[in-house]
Amino acid sequence: MNPQLKAMLDELLRVARINLERDGNLMPVAFLFSNGGLDIVGTPFRSDEDKEVTVIMLRGMAREKKATAVAMLAEAWHANLEPGQTLTEWDGTPVRKMKNRREVVQVYVEDQDGYWFGLAPITRDTGRPTFGQLEWHPMQERDARERFQKLLPV
């Protein structure tokens, strides 16, 4: 991820942290970056169908605005597989039902150079939710069944 995009994301995450601390939750939101501009799109999905429509809408907006990068920020459940377990061995249990789940803020980023995934646990040490610095990981080519990918125009 280039330093300029990372700096813009850091500022957006600072504001998201303030919003989470103040409101107690975050609406899923997408950020489309294009020629120095930024569009912020609320994506309040409630079902898998809503998520599919969101992806179609974001791909169209990214194409229309000639986006150079896109990021999606949301609260989510996250769990790790059992040690030694692979995705093909996973039984498909939804993360929200897994015993080792945890609440996180997650960000998916896609730009011309690749894909990144950022993750930070949500904590409530003061009684209000907040999150720290995201841990960023580069991503490889994604599984075709994953919906939030390849949002930028080719």
Side-chain angles (χ1 to χ4, degrees):
M1 180 181 334
N2 75 56
Q4 182 182 4
L5 176 58
K6 174 74 169 63
M8 288 189 288
L9 288 169
D10 286 345
E11 177 58 18
L12 293 168
L13 287 164
R14 185 188 70 76
V15 173
R17 187 174 298 106
I18 291 168
N19 290 341
L20 179 61
E21 291 168 356
R22 182 191 63 219
D23 301 333
N25 59 58
L26 292 173
M27 176 193 295
V29 65
F31 304 100
L32 288 102
F33 302 88
S34 55
N35 297 324
L38 171 66
D39 288 283
I40 302 172
V41 183
T43 57
F45 35 77
R46 291 178 179 81
S47 67
D48 283 340
E49 293 79 16
D50 287 353
K51 291 175 183 177
E52 294 298 334
V53 169
T54 297
V55 168
I56 292 166
M57 177 195 71
L58 289 174
R59 284 184 182 134
M61 288 181 73
R63 191 173 39 256
E64 175 186 308
K65 297 191 174 288
K66 296 179 176 66
T68 56
V70 63
M72 295 196 64
L73 178 144
E75 288 181 76
W77 288 112
H78 180 267
N80 292 322
L81 296 174
E82 297 299 324
Q85 186 181 28
T86 66
L87 276 177
T88 56
E89 297 167 333
W90 174 49
D91 65 5
T93 300
V95 173
R96 70 181 181 278
K97 293 183 179 180
M98 295 174 74
K99 290 178 183 168
N100 68 346
R101 73 182 183 268
R102 61 186 176 148
E103 278 184 296
V104 298
V105 170
Q106 67 179 23
V107 180
Y108 167 74
V109 178
E110 183 177 322
D111 73 4
Q112 305 301 327
D113 298 323
Y115 310 94
W116 289 267
F117 183 71
L119 194 70
I122 293 175
T123 60
R124 290 181 169 77
D125 297 335
T126 64
R128 300 292 300 165
T130 191
F131 62 96
Q133 291 294 104
L134 270 70
E135 185 177 313
W136 291 99
H137 303 278
M139 300 176 73
Q140 302 301 314
E141 186 70 20
R142 309 274 305 279
D143 187 295
R145 294 170 293 185
E146 295 181 57
R147 63 173 60 93
F148 294 113
Q149 66 171 324
K150 298 186 179 177
L151 300 173
L152 290 176
V154 185

